[in-house]
Amino acid sequence: MYRRIHLRRVTRGLRFRLTASYALFFTVILIGVAGLFRESLKSKLDARVEEELNGDWAAAKGGYLRIDWSAEVGKGAASWYYDAEDPDETTIVLEIKKVYLIADQFGNVIPNAKTKENEVSTTYDDLGADPPPEIAKRVIAMVNARPNTPGKTFWTIRRNAQGEPFKIRAGIAYDEHHVAPYYVAIGASLADNEKILRRFTWTYIGVIPGAVILGSFLGWIMAGRALTPVLAVAQTAQRISGSNLSLRIPTRQAGDELDYLVLTFNRMIERLEASFQQMKQFSADVSHELRTPITAIRGQLEVALFTAKTTDQYREAMFNALQDVDRLSQIVRALLLLSQAESGQLVLQKSRLNLCEVVEDLVEQFQILAEEAGVTLTADLPPECAAEVDRVQIERMITNLLSNAIKFTAKGGEVRVALNPLPDRIEIVVEDTGRGIATEHLPHIFDRFYRVPGSGAAPSPEQGLGLGLSFVAWIVKAHDAKIEVDSTPGKGTRFTIKLPSGGVGSDTMEIAAQPATLV
Ligand code: ADP
């Protein structure tokens, strides 16, 4: 069972499939090359035999063979002229006479002028006689063919009873007086050629499996090498858990696709690590934030239970406890809203409205608070500023910014709200002449529960939850806007929101479940 599963895993693996396709490809190429090679060898060997036959034919026609009317025989007869003492001439003529046939224009084999024997070799005879009408037809075709054209010769391949192949070259020869055409066929065995081709084929058939096995083995090793980093990625991925998200896969510095994969994977873990860290930090912050009012409530209740004597003391302890309960429920409500917003459950309800009116109303509401704090609150608004926004969220955003500005500006300071409609965007500016934010804290002010250290003693209802700017960040992101903070400690702070004019597409919009980040 285990073996079967293991085998299936191997055969489904990328390494196996790469090797298998490589082996298949290699085999097809090898067979193709062998076929091409064999064809080219065959045509070379054939051409050599044709060349030899052409040479023999030229020698016979050029002088060794003469055909003439023989009064003795009573018809056309052949004579062979050569010096029997000359080994070269003898060899050539004997070579020609190995496979040959001479017939008249009607297809009848003619005799030798001297011996009277038929001019056909036994080897040619073994191939089976050509029927005279067939020969006669060929003669007519060759006589009528234009000079120096392939039609002047007739090529064929014949096999004897044993299956031995012969290449036959036939042509026309005229008698001495050019009276009648004669059919002269000479041939050569192709047995050697076939033997060479057969040996070639068998050698190749023997070599191909070995080459394929060797090629596949090399392919297997190469595929294994190429895939090692992939395995490393998989193994590292398996070792990664919440507690060791700091693991990274080392790149091979090869600059190839696998390095790109490793890099992408490492970046993904980096992002995971960051959001995991954020989650951890968030739950630590939440429990810390909740613990503070709970401890305070407990303290107040203990006071009421053990030390309070008078009704006023009871009332005071209860009042304090109630205040802490308020703060507790405020935190819980804010957290719930924020998590709803960030998980996409809070959907924007956009409508086209005049931002000037919205800002004007809010400034009016904050005038009392500003007066109490001794801060001058002014608004710098154009007559009209239409935008496609979610009224509730935009009000929440400006409220948060305004209350912070007033809260962190000392008596005698100024807070200004401005709206600047530009061609491509609307800028909402909330600036103050307050205490400002030091550069090192700027990147964190939008984090949940982040309060600039030293901004107050223990948390109190006035001090805020450190959640206001997190909301602002989410609202900005949900409106596809951008926020910029410009702050000089001791001089003041300016928040600029750049809202794309005309709003963003649809009436409702889902927000991805991820912490709003600043841009
Ligand atoms: P909180 O509810 O405590 O105001 P926020 O998220 O709104 O929390 O702000 C985070 C922190 O950023 C504040 O605690 C404060 O230290 C700083 N901050 C925000 N706005 C201003 C401002 N206008 N001037 C100075 N500091 C500010």
Side-chain angles (χ1 to χ4, degrees), residues 355 397-398 417-420 426-430 495-497 499:
L355 273 183
M397 179 181 86
I398 298 172
V417 194
L419 274 182
N420 302 325
I426 297 164
E427 281 187 0
I428 306 171
V429 181
V430 178
F495 286 90
T496 311
I497 291 121
L499 203 65

Side-chain angles (χ1 to χ4, degrees), residues 415-436:
V415 171
R416 193 178 80 99
V417 194
L419 274 182
N420 302 325
L422 299 172
D424 60 328
R425 61 178 193 271
I426 297 164
E427 281 187 0
I428 306 171
V429 181
V430 178
E431 58 184 342
D432 61 60
T433 55
R435 68 167 187 227

Side-chain angles (χ1 to χ4, degrees), residues 83 136 339 409:
D83 183 358
S339 81
T409 302

Side-chain angles (χ1 to χ4, degrees), residues 248-263:
R248 295 287 180 276
I249 304 160
T251 51
R252 299 166 310 140
Q253 305 297 341
D256 56 8
E257 290 86 347
L258 287 171
D259 260 0
Y260 182 61
L261 173 77
V262 169
L263 220 71

Side-chain angles (χ1 to χ4, degrees), residues 4 38 47 101 120 351 362 396 431 440:
R4 206 156 20 143
R38 192 182 182 281
L101 167 133
V120 56
S351 59
L362 287 173
R396 177 175 279 149
E431 58 184 342
E440 69 264 31

Side-chain angles (χ1 to χ4, degrees), residues 400-401 404-405 407-408 432 435-437 445 447 450-452 455 463-470 493 495:
N400 273 316
L401 293 174
N404 274 350
K407 199 159 63 180
F408 297 109
D432 61 60
R435 68 167 187 227
I437 305 161
I445 56 170
D447 294 348
Y450 193 83
R451 286 174 295 243
V452 173
S455 43
Q463 199 204 343
L465 305 171
L467 291 174
L469 287 183
S470 306
T493 309
F495 286 90

